[in-house]
Amino acid sequence: QVQLVESGGGLVQAGGSLRPSCIAFRSIFSIDAMGWYRQAPGKQRELVATIRRGGTTNYLDSVKGRFTISRDIAKNTIYLQMNSLKPEDTAVYYCNAETNRINYWGEGTQVTVSS
């Protein structure tokens, strides 16, 4: 199993930055992929960014150039640096870990961007 806990969400004005983090309560070295998803009210959950075991990253088109996913293997933690935030980025952001074809989720952290 992979237990995930997010932190670092919050309220920010448009154009601002946030850096949520997700700690896994086990080594992330062997996890196939980790990532961030988000879900806005009335919308489906969508993939924001992923980082695979080998370091390959992938991003939602609308966040490319603004968001950066990274990891610190020694701390079993991934981060999502979010810059130039827009009101449409407002959502609950969920950490995800995929390993052995099983997905694990955190409880989510709220990100609210005011205009």
Side-chain angles (χ1 to χ4, degrees):
Q1 278 200 339
V2 183
Q3 184 180 358
L4 305 169
V5 177
E6 304 96 336
S7 62
L11 172 64
V12 65
Q13 288 188 332
S17 298
L18 284 172
R19 189 191 185 219
S21 61
C22 169
I23 185 168
F25 288 89
R26 59 157 278 185
S27 172
I28 66 172
F29 178 76
S30 60
I31 292 178
D32 295 329
M34 295 190 71
W36 292 93
Y37 288 68
R38 68 187 182 188
Q39 187 166 19
K43 295 187 177 182
Q44 289 189 330
R45 191 172 296 190
E46 63 180 354
L47 171 68
V48 177
T50 60
I51 184 166
R52 299 202 64 82
R53 184 167 48 191
T56 302
T57 57
N58 185 48
Y59 295 93
L60 179 69
D61 282 347
S62 63
V63 308
K64 286 180 180 177
R66 299 188 297 122
F67 291 10
T68 303
I69 188 170
S70 63
R71 65 186 177 186
D72 185 331
I73 292 175
K75 295 182 179 179
N76 298 325
T77 300
I78 66 168
Y79 306 92
L80 186 66
Q81 179 66 47
M82 305 190 295
N83 298 329
S84 302
L85 282 161
K86 304 175 181 180
E88 51 263 43
D89 295 318
T90 295
V92 178
Y93 283 70
Y94 295 92
C95 182
N96 170 268
E98 178 195 340
T99 193
N100 296 324
R101 293 180 232 172
I102 299 173
N103 279 283
Y104 300 90
W105 298 92
E107 294 293 317
T109 185
Q110 177 70 46
V111 171
T112 302
V113 185
S114 63
S115 56

Coordinates of all heavy atoms in Angstrom, one line a residue, residues 41-111:
P41 N -15.4 21.9 -8.8 CA -16.8 21.7 -8.6 C -17.5 21.4 -9.9 O -17.4 22.2 -10.8 CB -17.3 22.9 -7.9 CG -16.1 23.5 -7.2 CD -14.9 23.2 -8.1
G42 N -18.3 20.3 -9.9 CA -19.1 20.0 -11.1 C -18.3 19.5 -12.3 O -18.9 19.3 -13.4
K43 N -17.0 19.2 -12.1 CA -16.2 18.7 -13.2 C -15.6 17.4 -12.8 O -15.5 17.1 -11.7 CB -15.1 19.8 -13.6 CG -15.7 21.1 -14.1 CD -14.6 21.9 -14.6 CE -15.1 23.2 -15.3 NZ -14.0 24.1 -15.8
Q44 N -15.1 16.7 -13.9 CA -14.4 15.4 -13.6 C -13.0 15.7 -13.2 O -12.4 16.7 -13.5 CB -14.4 14.6 -14.9 CG -15.8 14.1 -15.3 CD -15.7 13.1 -16.4 OE1 -14.9 13.1 -17.3 NE2 -16.6 12.1 -16.4
R45 N -12.5 14.7 -12.5 CA -11.1 14.8 -12.1 C -10.2 14.7 -13.3 O -10.5 13.9 -14.2 CB -10.8 13.7 -11.1 CG -9.4 13.8 -10.4 CD -9.3 12.7 -9.3 NE -10.2 12.9 -8.3 CZ -10.1 12.2 -7.1 NH1 -9.2 11.4 -6.9 NH2 -11.1 12.4 -6.2
E46 N -9.2 15.5 -13.4 CA -8.3 15.5 -14.6 C -6.8 15.5 -14.1 O -6.5 16.0 -13.1 CB -8.5 16.8 -15.4 CG -8.2 18.1 -14.8 CD -8.4 19.3 -15.7 OE1 -8.8 19.1 -16.9 OE2 -8.3 20.4 -15.2
L47 N -6.1 14.9 -15.0 CA -4.6 14.8 -14.8 C -4.0 16.1 -15.0 O -4.2 16.8 -16.0 CB -4.0 13.8 -15.8 CG -2.5 13.7 -15.8 CD1 -2.0 13.1 -14.6 CD2 -2.1 12.8 -17.0
V48 N -3.1 16.5 -14.0 CA -2.4 17.8 -14.1 C -1.0 17.5 -14.5 O -0.5 18.1 -15.5 CB -2.5 18.5 -12.8 CG1 -1.6 19.8 -12.9 CG2 -3.9 18.9 -12.4
A49 N -0.3 16.6 -13.8 CA 1.1 16.4 -14.1 C 1.5 15.0 -13.5 O 1.0 14.6 -12.5 CB 2.0 17.5 -13.5
T50 N 2.4 14.3 -14.2 CA 2.9 13.1 -13.7 C 4.4 13.0 -13.8 O 5.0 13.7 -14.7 CB 2.3 11.9 -14.4 OG1 2.6 11.9 -15.8 CG2 0.8 11.8 -14.2
I51 N 5.0 12.2 -13.0 CA 6.4 11.9 -13.1 C 6.6 10.4 -13.0 O 6.2 9.9 -12.0 CB 7.3 12.7 -12.1 CG1 8.8 12.5 -12.3 CG2 6.8 12.5 -10.7 CD1 9.7 13.5 -11.6
R52 N 7.3 9.8 -13.9 CA 7.4 8.4 -13.9 C 8.7 8.0 -13.2 O 9.6 8.9 -12.9 CB 7.4 7.8 -15.3 CG 6.1 8.1 -16.1 CD 5.9 7.1 -17.2 NE 5.7 5.8 -16.7 CZ 4.6 5.3 -16.3 NH1 3.5 6.0 -16.2 NH2 4.6 4.0 -15.9
R53 N 8.9 6.7 -12.9 CA 10.0 6.3 -12.1 C 11.3 6.7 -12.7 O 12.3 7.1 -12.0 CB 10.0 4.8 -12.0 CG 11.1 4.2 -11.1 CD 10.8 2.7 -10.8 NE 10.5 2.0 -11.9 CZ 10.0 0.7 -11.8 NH1 9.8 0.2 -10.7 NH2 9.7 0.1 -12.9
G54 N 11.4 6.7 -14.1 CA 12.6 7.1 -14.7 C 12.8 8.6 -14.8 O 13.9 9.1 -15.3
G55 N 11.8 9.4 -14.4 CA 11.9 10.8 -14.4 C 11.2 11.6 -15.5 O 11.1 12.8 -15.5
T56 N 10.6 10.8 -16.4 CA 9.8 11.4 -17.5 C 8.6 12.1 -16.9 O 7.9 11.6 -16.0 CB 9.3 10.3 -18.5 OG1 10.5 9.7 -19.0 CG2 8.6 11.0 -19.6
T57 N 8.3 13.3 -17.4 CA 7.2 14.1 -16.9 C 6.2 14.3 -18.0 O 6.5 14.3 -19.2 CB 7.6 15.4 -16.3 OG1 8.3 16.2 -17.4 CG2 8.5 15.3 -15.1
N58 N 4.9 14.6 -17.6 CA 3.9 14.8 -18.5 C 2.9 15.8 -17.9 O 2.7 15.8 -16.7 CB 3.1 13.5 -18.8 CG 2.0 13.7 -19.9 OD1 2.3 14.3 -20.9 ND2 0.8 13.2 -19.6
Y59 N 2.4 16.7 -18.7 CA 1.6 17.8 -18.2 C 0.3 18.0 -19.0 O 0.2 17.8 -20.2 CB 2.3 19.2 -18.2 CG 3.5 19.2 -17.3 CD1 4.8 18.9 -17.8 CD2 3.4 19.6 -16.0 CE1 5.9 18.9 -17.0 CE2 4.5 19.7 -15.2 CZ 5.7 19.3 -15.7 OH 6.8 19.4 -14.8
L60 N -0.7 18.5 -18.3 CA -2.0 18.9 -18.9 C -1.6 20.1 -19.8 O -0.8 21.0 -19.4 CB -3.0 19.3 -17.9 CG -4.3 19.9 -18.3 CD1 -5.2 18.8 -18.9 CD2 -5.0 20.4 -17.0
D61 N -2.1 20.2 -21.0 CA -1.7 21.3 -21.9 C -1.9 22.7 -21.3 O -1.1 23.6 -21.4 CB -2.6 21.3 -23.2 CG -2.1 20.2 -24.1 OD1 -1.0 19.7 -23.9 OD2 -2.8 19.9 -25.1
S62 N -3.0 22.9 -20.5 CA -3.3 24.2 -20.0 C -2.3 24.7 -18.9 O -2.3 25.8 -18.5 CB -4.7 24.3 -19.5 OG -4.9 23.4 -18.4
V63 N -1.5 23.7 -18.4 CA -0.6 24.1 -17.3 C 0.9 24.1 -17.8 O 1.8 24.5 -17.0 CB -0.7 23.2 -16.0 CG1 -2.2 23.2 -15.6 CG2 -0.2 21.8 -16.3
K64 N 1.1 23.7 -19.0 CA 2.5 23.6 -19.5 C 3.1 25.0 -19.5 O 2.5 26.0 -19.9 CB 2.5 23.1 -20.9 CG 2.3 21.6 -21.0 CD 2.3 21.1 -22.4 CE 2.0 19.6 -22.5 NZ 2.0 19.1 -23.9
G65 N 4.3 25.1 -19.0 CA 5.0 26.4 -18.9 C 4.7 27.1 -17.6 O 5.4 28.1 -17.3
R66 N 3.7 26.7 -16.9 CA 3.4 27.3 -15.6 C 3.6 26.4 -14.4 O 4.0 26.9 -13.3 CB 1.9 27.8 -15.6 CG 1.5 28.8 -16.7 CD 0.1 29.3 -16.5 NE -0.9 28.3 -16.6 CZ -1.8 28.0 -15.7 NH1 -1.8 28.7 -14.5 NH2 -2.7 27.1 -15.8
F67 N 3.3 25.1 -14.5 CA 3.5 24.2 -13.5 C 4.7 23.3 -13.7 O 5.0 22.9 -14.8 CB 2.2 23.3 -13.4 CG 1.0 24.0 -12.9 CD1 0.9 25.4 -12.8 CD2 -0.1 23.2 -12.6 CE1 -0.3 26.0 -12.4 CE2 -1.3 23.8 -12.2 CZ -1.4 25.2 -12.1
T68 N 5.3 22.9 -12.6 CA 6.4 22.0 -12.7 C 6.3 20.9 -11.6 O 6.2 21.3 -10.4 CB 7.8 22.7 -12.5 OG1 7.9 23.7 -13.5 CG2 8.9 21.7 -12.7
I69 N 6.3 19.6 -12.0 CA 6.3 18.6 -11.0 C 7.7 18.1 -10.8 O 8.6 18.1 -11.7 CB 5.5 17.4 -11.5 CG1 5.3 16.3 -10.4 CG2 6.0 16.8 -12.8 CD1 4.2 15.3 -10.8
S70 N 8.0 17.8 -9.5 CA 9.4 17.4 -9.1 C 9.2 16.4 -8.0 O 8.2 16.2 -7.4 CB 10.3 18.6 -8.8 OG 9.7 19.2 -7.6
R71 N 10.4 15.7 -7.6 CA 10.3 14.8 -6.5 C 11.6 14.8 -5.8 O 12.7 15.2 -6.3 CB 10.1 13.4 -7.1 CG 11.2 12.9 -8.0 CD 11.0 11.6 -8.6 NE 12.1 11.2 -9.5 CZ 12.0 10.1 -10.3 NH1 11.0 9.3 -10.3 NH2 13.1 9.8 -11.0
D72 N 11.6 14.5 -4.5 CA 12.7 14.3 -3.7 C 12.7 12.9 -3.2 O 11.9 12.6 -2.2 CB 12.7 15.3 -2.6 CG 14.0 15.3 -1.7 OD1 14.6 14.2 -1.6 OD2 14.4 16.3 -1.2
I73 N 13.4 12.0 -3.8 CA 13.3 10.6 -3.4 C 13.7 10.3 -2.0 O 13.1 9.5 -1.3 CB 14.1 9.7 -4.4 CG1 13.5 9.8 -5.8 CG2 14.2 8.3 -3.9 CD1 14.2 9.1 -6.9
A74 N 14.7 11.1 -1.5 CA 15.2 10.9 -0.2 C 14.1 11.2 0.9 O 14.1 10.7 2.0 CB 16.4 11.7 0.1
K75 N 13.2 12.2 0.5 CA 12.2 12.6 1.4 C 10.8 11.9 1.1 O 9.8 12.2 1.7 CB 12.0 14.1 1.3 CG 13.2 14.9 1.9 CD 13.0 16.4 1.8 CE 14.2 17.1 2.4 NZ 13.9 18.6 2.3
N76 N 10.8 11.0 0.1 CA 9.6 10.4 -0.3 C 8.5 11.4 -0.6 O 7.3 11.2 -0.3 CB 9.1 9.4 0.7 CG 10.1 8.3 1.0 OD1 10.7 7.8 0.0 ND2 10.2 7.8 2.2
T77 N 8.8 12.4 -1.3 CA 7.9 13.6 -1.5 C 7.9 14.0 -3.0 O 9.0 14.0 -3.6 CB 8.3 14.7 -0.6 OG1 8.3 14.3 0.8 CG2 7.4 15.9 -0.8
I78 N 6.8 14.4 -3.5 CA 6.7 15.1 -4.8 C 6.1 16.4 -4.5 O 5.4 16.7 -3.5 CB 5.9 14.3 -5.8 CG1 4.4 14.2 -5.4 CG2 6.5 12.9 -6.0 CD1 3.5 13.7 -6.6
Y79 N 6.4 17.3 -5.5 CA 5.9 18.7 -5.4 C 5.3 19.1 -6.7 O 5.5 18.5 -7.8 CB 7.1 19.6 -5.1 CG 8.0 19.3 -3.9 CD1 9.1 18.4 -4.1 CD2 7.6 19.7 -2.7 CE1 9.8 18.1 -3.0 CE2 8.4 19.4 -1.6 CZ 9.5 18.5 -1.7 OH 10.3 18.2 -0.6
L80 N 4.5 20.2 -6.6 CA 3.9 20.8 -7.8 C 4.1 22.3 -7.7 O 3.3 22.9 -6.9 CB 2.4 20.4 -8.0 CG 1.8 20.9 -9.3 CD1 2.4 20.2 -10.5 CD2 0.3 20.7 -9.3
Q81 N 5.1 22.8 -8.3 CA 5.3 24.2 -8.3 C 4.3 24.9 -9.3 O 4.4 24.5 -10.5 CB 6.7 24.6 -8.8 CG 7.0 26.1 -8.8 CD 7.0 26.7 -7.4 OE1 7.5 26.2 -6.5 NE2 6.3 27.8 -7.4
M82 N 3.5 25.7 -8.8 CA 2.4 26.3 -9.7 C 2.7 27.8 -9.7 O 2.5 28.5 -8.7 CB 1.0 26.0 -9.1 CG 0.8 24.5 -8.9 SD -0.9 24.1 -8.5 CE -1.1 24.9 -6.9
N83 N 3.0 28.3 -10.9 CA 3.2 29.7 -11.1 C 2.1 30.3 -12.0 O 1.4 29.6 -12.7 CB 4.6 30.0 -11.7 CG 5.7 29.5 -10.8 OD1 5.6 29.5 -9.6 ND2 6.8 29.0 -11.4
S84 N 2.0 31.6 -12.0 CA 1.1 32.3 -12.9 C -0.3 31.7 -12.8 O -1.0 31.4 -13.8 CB 1.5 32.3 -14.3 OG 2.8 32.9 -14.4
L85 N -0.8 31.5 -11.5 CA -2.0 30.8 -11.3 C -3.2 31.7 -11.8 O -3.2 32.9 -11.8 CB -2.2 30.6 -9.8 CG -1.4 29.3 -9.3 CD1 -1.3 29.4 -7.8 CD2 -2.1 28.1 -9.7
K86 N -4.2 30.9 -12.3 CA -5.4 31.5 -12.9 C -6.6 31.1 -12.1 O -6.6 30.0 -11.5 CB -5.5 31.1 -14.3 CG -4.3 31.4 -15.2 CD -4.5 30.9 -16.6 CE -3.3 31.2 -17.5 NZ -3.5 30.6 -18.9
P87 N -7.7 31.8 -12.1 CA -8.9 31.4 -11.4 C -9.4 30.0 -11.8 O -9.9 29.3 -11.0 CB -9.9 32.5 -11.8 CG -9.1 33.7 -12.0 CD -7.8 33.2 -12.6
E88 N -9.1 29.7 -13.1 CA -9.6 28.4 -13.6 C -8.7 27.2 -13.1 O -9.0 26.1 -13.3 CB -9.6 28.3 -15.1 CG -8.3 28.8 -15.8 CD -8.4 30.3 -16.2 OE1 -8.9 31.1 -15.4 OE2 -8.0 30.6 -17.3
D89 N -7.7 27.5 -12.3 CA -6.9 26.5 -11.7 C -7.5 26.1 -10.3 O -7.0 25.2 -9.7 CB -5.4 27.0 -11.4 CG -4.7 27.2 -12.7 OD1 -4.8 26.4 -13.6 OD2 -3.9 28.2 -12.8
T90 N -8.5 26.8 -9.9 CA -9.1 26.5 -8.6 C -9.7 25.1 -8.7 O -10.5 24.7 -9.6 CB -10.3 27.5 -8.4 OG1 -9.7 28.8 -8.2 CG2 -11.0 27.1 -7.1
A91 N -9.4 24.3 -7.7 CA -9.8 22.9 -7.6 C -9.2 22.3 -6.3 O -8.4 22.9 -5.7 CB -9.3 22.1 -8.8
V92 N -9.7 21.1 -6.1 CA -9.0 20.2 -5.1 C -7.9 19.5 -5.8 O -8.2 18.8 -6.9 CB -10.0 19.3 -4.4 CG1 -9.2 18.4 -3.4 CG2 -11.1 20.1 -3.6
Y93 N -6.7 19.5 -5.3 CA -5.6 18.8 -6.0 C -5.3 17.6 -5.2 O -5.1 17.6 -4.0 CB -4.4 19.8 -6.0 CG -4.5 20.8 -7.1 CD1 -5.4 21.8 -7.0 CD2 -3.7 20.7 -8.3 CE1 -5.6 22.8 -8.0 CE2 -3.9 21.7 -9.3 CZ -4.8 22.7 -9.2 OH -4.9 23.6 -10.2
Y94 N -5.3 16.5 -5.9 CA -5.1 15.1 -5.3 C -3.7 14.6 -5.8 O -3.4 14.6 -7.0 CB -6.1 14.2 -5.8 CG -7.5 14.5 -5.3 CD1 -8.4 15.3 -6.1 CD2 -8.0 14.1 -4.1 CE1 -9.6 15.6 -5.6 CE2 -9.2 14.4 -3.6 CZ -10.1 15.2 -4.4 OH -11.3 15.5 -4.0
C95 N -3.0 14.0 -4.9 CA -1.8 13.3 -5.2 C -2.1 11.8 -5.5 O -3.1 11.2 -4.9 CB -0.9 13.3 -3.9 SG 0.7 12.5 -4.1
N96 N -1.4 11.3 -6.5 CA -1.7 9.9 -7.0 C -0.4 9.2 -7.1 O 0.6 9.7 -7.5 CB -2.4 10.0 -8.3 CG -2.4 8.6 -9.0 OD1 -1.5 8.3 -9.8 ND2 -3.5 7.9 -8.7
A97 N -0.5 7.9 -6.7 CA 0.7 7.0 -6.9 C 0.2 5.8 -7.6 O -0.9 5.2 -7.3 CB 1.3 6.6 -5.6
E98 N 0.9 5.4 -8.7 CA 0.5 4.2 -9.4 C 1.6 3.2 -9.4 O 2.7 3.5 -9.8 CB 0.2 4.5 -10.9 CG -0.2 3.3 -11.7 CD -0.2 3.5 -13.2 OE1 -0.2 4.7 -13.6 OE2 -0.1 2.6 -14.0
T99 N 1.3 2.0 -8.9 CA 2.3 1.0 -8.8 C 1.7 -0.4 -8.9 O 0.6 -0.6 -8.3 CB 3.2 1.1 -7.6 OG1 4.4 0.3 -7.7 CG2 2.5 0.8 -6.3
N100 N 2.3 -1.3 -9.6 CA 1.7 -2.6 -9.8 C 0.2 -2.5 -10.3 O -0.6 -3.3 -9.9 CB 1.7 -3.5 -8.5 CG 3.2 -3.7 -8.1 OD1 4.1 -3.9 -8.9 ND2 3.4 -3.7 -6.8
R101 N 0.0 -1.5 -11.1 CA -1.3 -1.3 -11.8 C -2.4 -0.9 -10.7 O -3.6 -1.1 -11.0 CB -1.8 -2.5 -12.6 CG -0.9 -2.7 -13.8 CD -1.4 -3.8 -14.7 NE -0.3 -4.8 -14.9 CZ -0.5 -6.0 -15.5 NH1 -1.7 -6.4 -15.8 NH2 0.5 -6.7 -15.7
I102 N -2.0 -0.5 -9.6 CA -3.0 -0.1 -8.6 C -2.7 1.4 -8.3 O -1.6 1.9 -8.2 CB -2.8 -0.9 -7.3 CG1 -3.1 -2.3 -7.5 CG2 -3.7 -0.3 -6.2 CD1 -2.7 -3.2 -6.3
N103 N -3.8 2.1 -8.2 CA -3.8 3.6 -8.0 C -4.1 3.9 -6.5 O -5.0 3.3 -5.9 CB -4.8 4.3 -8.9 CG -4.2 4.6 -10.2 OD1 -3.4 5.4 -10.5 ND2 -4.7 3.7 -11.2
Y104 N -3.3 4.7 -5.9 CA -3.5 5.2 -4.6 C -3.7 6.7 -4.6 O -3.1 7.4 -5.4 CB -2.3 4.9 -3.7 CG -2.0 3.4 -3.6 CD1 -1.2 2.8 -4.5 CD2 -2.7 2.6 -2.6 CE1 -0.9 1.4 -4.5 CE2 -2.4 1.2 -2.6 CZ -1.6 0.6 -3.5 OH -1.3 -0.7 -3.4
W105 N -4.6 7.2 -3.7 CA -4.9 8.6 -3.7 C -4.7 9.2 -2.3 O -5.0 8.6 -1.3 CB -6.4 8.8 -4.1 CG -6.6 8.3 -5.5 CD1 -7.0 7.1 -5.9 CD2 -6.5 9.1 -6.7 NE1 -7.2 7.1 -7.3 CE2 -6.8 8.3 -7.8 CE3 -6.1 10.4 -7.0 CZ2 -6.8 8.7 -9.1 CZ3 -6.0 10.9 -8.3 CH2 -6.4 10.0 -9.3
G106 N -4.4 10.5 -2.3 CA -4.4 11.3 -1.1 C -5.8 11.9 -0.9 O -6.7 11.7 -1.7
E107 N -6.0 12.6 0.2 CA -7.3 13.2 0.6 C -7.5 14.5 -0.2 O -8.6 14.9 -0.3 CB -7.4 13.4 2.1 CG -7.4 12.2 2.9 CD -8.6 11.4 2.7 OE1 -9.7 12.0 2.6 OE2 -8.5 10.1 2.6
G108 N -6.5 15.1 -0.7 CA -6.6 16.3 -1.5 C -6.3 17.5 -0.7 O -6.4 17.6 0.5
T109 N -5.9 18.6 -1.4 CA -5.6 19.9 -0.8 C -6.3 20.9 -1.7 O -6.2 20.9 -3.0 CB -4.1 20.1 -0.7 OG1 -3.9 21.4 0.0 CG2 -3.4 20.2 -2.0
Q110 N -7.0 21.9 -1.1 CA -7.8 22.9 -1.8 C -6.8 24.0 -2.3 O -6.0 24.5 -1.5 CB -8.9 23.5 -1.0 CG -9.7 24.6 -1.6 CD -10.5 24.1 -2.7 OE1 -11.2 23.1 -2.6 NE2 -10.5 24.8 -3.9
V111 N -7.0 24.3 -3.6 CA -6.3 25.5 -4.2 C -7.4 26.4 -4.7 O -8.2 26.0 -5.5 CB -5.3 25.0 -5.3 CG1 -4.8 26.3 -6.0 CG2 -4.2 24.2 -4.7

